[in-house]
Each structure stands twice: as C-alpha cells, then as structure tokens.
Amino acid sequence: MRITSETSTDGVREQLFTLGDVPGVLWTPDGSTGPRPLILMGHGGGRHKKDPEILARAHRFAADGGFAVAAVDVPAHGDRPKVPAYDRLVAENRARVAAGEELAPLIARFQALVSARTVPEWRAVLDALQRLDHVGPGPVGYWGVSLGCGLGVPFVAAEPRVRAAVLGLGGALASAGEAAGITVPVTFLLQWDDERVPRDQGLALFDALGSAEKTLHAHPGGHDALRPHEPDSSLAFFTRHLTHA
Amino acid sequence: MRITSETSTDGVREQLFTLGDVPGVLWTPDGSTGPRPLILMGHGGGRHKKDPEILARAHRFAADGGFAVAAVDVPAHGDRPKVPAYDRLVAENRARVAAGEELAPLIARFQALVSARTVPEWRAVLDALQRLDHVGPGPVGYWGVSLGCGLGVPFVAAEPRVRAAVLGLGGALASAGEAAGITVPVTFLLQWDDERVPRDQGLALFDALGSAEKTLHAHPGGHDALRPHEPDSSLAFFTRHLTHA
C-alpha cells in the first residue's frame, strides 16, 4: 500500500492511497494515533470514492465518532480504467430496458459480475489498512447503498471482520442468497418511492438478511433522495456496535 | 382538572389528575416552570396510563428532553370502569377468531368504536393541561403504538396542535382513511414478525399516511418486542420537531 497524498480539512486527515491498481482514500481524525474501528464505505453506481455522499458521511464518522473511514473506487469508476466487459453489459442492459425488460434483474446481473472483483479487493484493502498504526486490527463496519449495497451484501457475508453494516437501496434479486448469510446487525435504508428498486424487492432483501438484529428505515422519496438525518442514525448505530465491542 | 397527587422519581415530577371521569398522569422535569412542548402518550390494549412501556418512555422524554408528557386511561382500561358495549364486542370478536375469522379487521372495528370516545377526551385533556403554567400552549407530540396507534391516528388527524407523532404496530384496516389526513412528520414503528398485525397491513398504513415527512422503522420480532433503542430515536424525533419549531 502506497500513501500518495495527505491533507486535512475540518479536523479530518485525508490520505489517498493505492493498493496495487486500486485507488482509495482513508479518513481519520486529525492527530489520531493508535487503533480505532474502521468503516469501509462502498460508493454508488457511476460515482466514486470521494463522491459528496461518501465524503460528507466519512467526515461525520471520523470527526464525530472517532472512526477510521475508507473508500475505494469500484472497477470502471473514479480513477480506474473502463472495463470493456462492463461496458458491453451496460449497453446490453440499456437495449433490454429500451425493449421493455425490467431494470432490476439487469442491475442484479451487473452487480454480481462486479462483486466477483470487489469482494477480494476490499478484503485486501482491509488487510492493508489494518496494518497502519492509526487504524489497527479493530472491528470493521460497512456502509453502502445502491451499488454499494449490491457489492456490500456479498462482501459483508464473506468478511468476518465486519461486525455491523448499513445497507440499502438494493433489492433481493441481486443477492438474497448471500443476504441470508449475513448475521451481523444491519440498518437497511429503503426509499419508499424508489424508481430503480421496486418496493417489494427492497423489502424482500431486508427480509432475506439472516441477522437477528436488523432495522429497516424507510422514507418517502426516490432512489437519490436519502434523508438528511440518516447519517445521525448511522453514526449512532456504528458507535453502538463497533466501539462497545 | 383536579390534581390528586404529586410525587418525584429520578428527577421527574409525576402528577396524577382527573378531568371529569378521565384519570391521567402528567410528567415534567423536577422544578420546571414555564411553557414546554407536551407529548401525549396512548397506551396499548389491556394496559394503562402507567404501564411500564409508557412510564419508561415518559421519564426519558421528560428527564432527557425537558418535555411535559401525559397519558390517560382509555375507557375500560386502568382505573376506569368496564364498558359493557366493549365487553360484548370483545367477546364477539373472540368467538369470531375461534371460528376462523381474521383478527385484524376485528381489532379495527373495536378501535373505531373506542376512538369515538377518546378523540374528544384527549382534546379536552390537551385543553386542560395547556392551561397549567409548567405546560402552556406550546406544540404537542403524540406517541402511541398498537391500540395507541389505532386511537392515535384519528386523534392526530383531528387535532391541529399535534405537530409530530410516533405511531406503529397498527394496520391500514383500522384507519387508512384517517391516516391520509395526517400531514405532520411521523415515525412509524413496525415489527417485522407481528403476529397481530399482518405485515402488509402495517406497511399499508405507513403508505397511507399523508405526511410528506414520514419514516418507517421496522425490526424483527413480534408485536410485544419493541427494540430498546427505539426511545432514543423517538426522543431525537420529538426534539427535532417540537423544540426547534
């Protein structure tokens, strides 16, 4: 792992890094030393590791919760090169939607393809980050909605270091089987009028989660309209499950 | 309104009162003077104004939020006399369930009968409480689940002083029409494995709420297993909507 830059904004240190060909970013409270719980965040489709949605929450988690927070670019996103196989599938999916097919199963198919790469990448990123003095081998949380949920479900199911996850804006078609393998506490965010994920598919993914402790938070509005109070509740959730462990 | 006793526990003053034949209880922070937002709480079926579920939340709202909190016995509950018409309906409902009828529509029918009395009673209780110096004419919140939701929906729809409500463990059969008339922010609590309210009925009641700002919080578990963290989120919700008004 190579740290390529370090800056500080509003009490939060931001370190850009690369691990092999994976570009990432790590946020920690300014001046922090010693181990602390780590939250890995997965960005949405077409977005990137420093998307405003990620950045605002990461700052909140680091500044107000004392967490280390990291995000990496998903293949074909952010600073990473295009992946011809993804482009072909996206083009094919567009044509199918234009021809009247449902969007949700096509999203699911795309996410399954991408997660075959991201699950091992993210596990390697955890390995590397946890060797840093100001991260260390503590408990890990995961936050990801939309594509970050589609990729997050197989990751959380596969990675025993993850002790709590915020997921959402995803449907059961993508990952009901893997969801059943998740047993850690989950907060699941659902937009009641989601135009990309049919409501029954979102409810079915929440239902499929194997976790004994899981909470569904649903709000009116479309796929891109998560509520301003959501970061408060995510911060309280991670604090409960990662810092009292 | 006649105040019949006053005690104090853990920093919270408890005043028992009667308004006509309605027995009630008012909790306020010890030593409080001057106006403050009021939260009216509606208890569950077969329970009463000082049920442990009510008492714990009322103390939390008063001690940690500075609210005035009140609850009254529903007719035929707590210190109030039996109501023969209710008993007849309950007995009839039991027989119908034994004969294989669904429970939910019968609960809905019972709640409609009771709310015809509680809506005017609760409005009169607000009038009386708001004349007290340590309550005053501020904004009002409502908290009620199960029977407290069935009676709360028509109350919140009818009472313009209510500016925010926590409802839940109720179904659309009881009150979808009145729910559409509610426009204030609502947090709706749903138990994913509720054995008394079918899941689709609970989701349909959330869907029916006319409020632009509404949140569904769903957790695994049966009707009587509300989560320990729920009071935290209700307190934050009332603080946001009643004290920043």
Side-chain angles (χ1 to χ4, degrees), chain B residues 233-244:
Chain B
S233 116
S234 294
L235 177 58
F237 171 78
F238 283 130
T239 299
R240 220 157 46 230
H241 292 294
L242 302 181
T243 68
H244 301 168

Side-chain angles (χ1 to χ4, degrees), chain A residues 23-116:
Chain A
V25 55
L26 171 65
W27 295 275
T28 46
D30 270 351
S32 54
T33 57
R36 66 200 53 255
L38 170 67
I39 298 169
L40 183 68
M41 302 188 71
H43 65 72
R47 304 194 180 196
H48 60 84
K49 65 185 175 303
K50 287 185 63 178
D51 188 85
E53 168 178 272
I54 297 289
L55 202 55
R57 288 176 173 80
H59 265 250
R60 188 80 207 283
F61 296 154
D64 297 345
F67 292 101
V69 187
V72 300
D73 286 329
V74 168
H77 288 73
D79 298 328
R80 300 185 70 170
K82 283 171 172 287
V83 178
Y86 298 176
D87 286 346
R88 279 195 300 273
L89 189 56
V90 167
E92 192 188 316
N93 285 351
R94 280 215 189 96
R96 286 179 173 212
V97 168
E101 273 194 51
E102 272 186 61
L103 179 60
L106 302 174
I107 292 177
R109 194 172 151 223
F110 178 74
Q111 290 180 354
L113 181 68
V114 179
S115 71

Side-chain angles (χ1 to χ4, degrees), chain B residues 48-100:
Chain B
H48 59 83
K49 64 184 176 305
K50 286 185 66 179
D51 187 84
E53 168 178 273
I54 297 289
L55 201 55
R57 288 175 172 81
H59 265 250
R60 187 81 208 281
F61 296 154
D64 297 345
F67 293 101
V69 186
V72 300
D73 285 330
V74 168
H77 288 73
D79 298 327
R80 302 186 68 169
K82 284 169 170 286
V83 177
Y86 297 176
D87 286 346
R88 279 195 300 274
L89 188 56
V90 167
E92 193 187 314
N93 285 352
R94 278 213 191 96
R96 285 179 172 213
V97 168

Side-chain angles (χ1 to χ4, degrees), chain A residues 192 207 214 216 218 220 240, chain B residues 192 207 214 216 218 220 229 240:
Chain A
W192 201 244
D207 193 45
K214 59 183 179 180
L216 172 71
R240 218 155 50 228
Chain B
W192 201 245
D207 193 47
K214 58 183 179 180
L216 172 71
H229 302 299
R240 220 157 46 230

Side-chain angles (χ1 to χ4, degrees), chain A residues 192 199 203 206-207 212-220 227 229 240, chain B residues 192 199 203 206-207 212-220 227 229 240:
Chain A
W192 201 244
R199 188 185 298 162
L203 293 171
F206 173 71
D207 193 45
E213 182 163 351
K214 59 183 179 180
T215 305
L216 172 71
H217 285 192
H219 306 91
R227 283 299 161 114
H229 303 300
R240 218 155 50 228
Chain B
W192 201 245
R199 188 185 299 161
L203 293 171
F206 173 71
D207 193 47
E213 183 163 351
K214 58 183 179 180
T215 304
L216 172 71
H217 285 192
H219 305 92
R227 285 297 160 117
H229 302 299
R240 220 157 46 230

Side-chain angles (χ1 to χ4, degrees), chain B residues 12-35:
Chain B
V12 175
R13 173 170 53 183
E14 176 181 299
Q15 295 173 297
L16 294 176
F17 65 82
T18 55
L19 180 71
D21 58 356
V22 180
V25 55
L26 171 66
W27 296 275
T28 45
D30 270 351
S32 55
T33 56

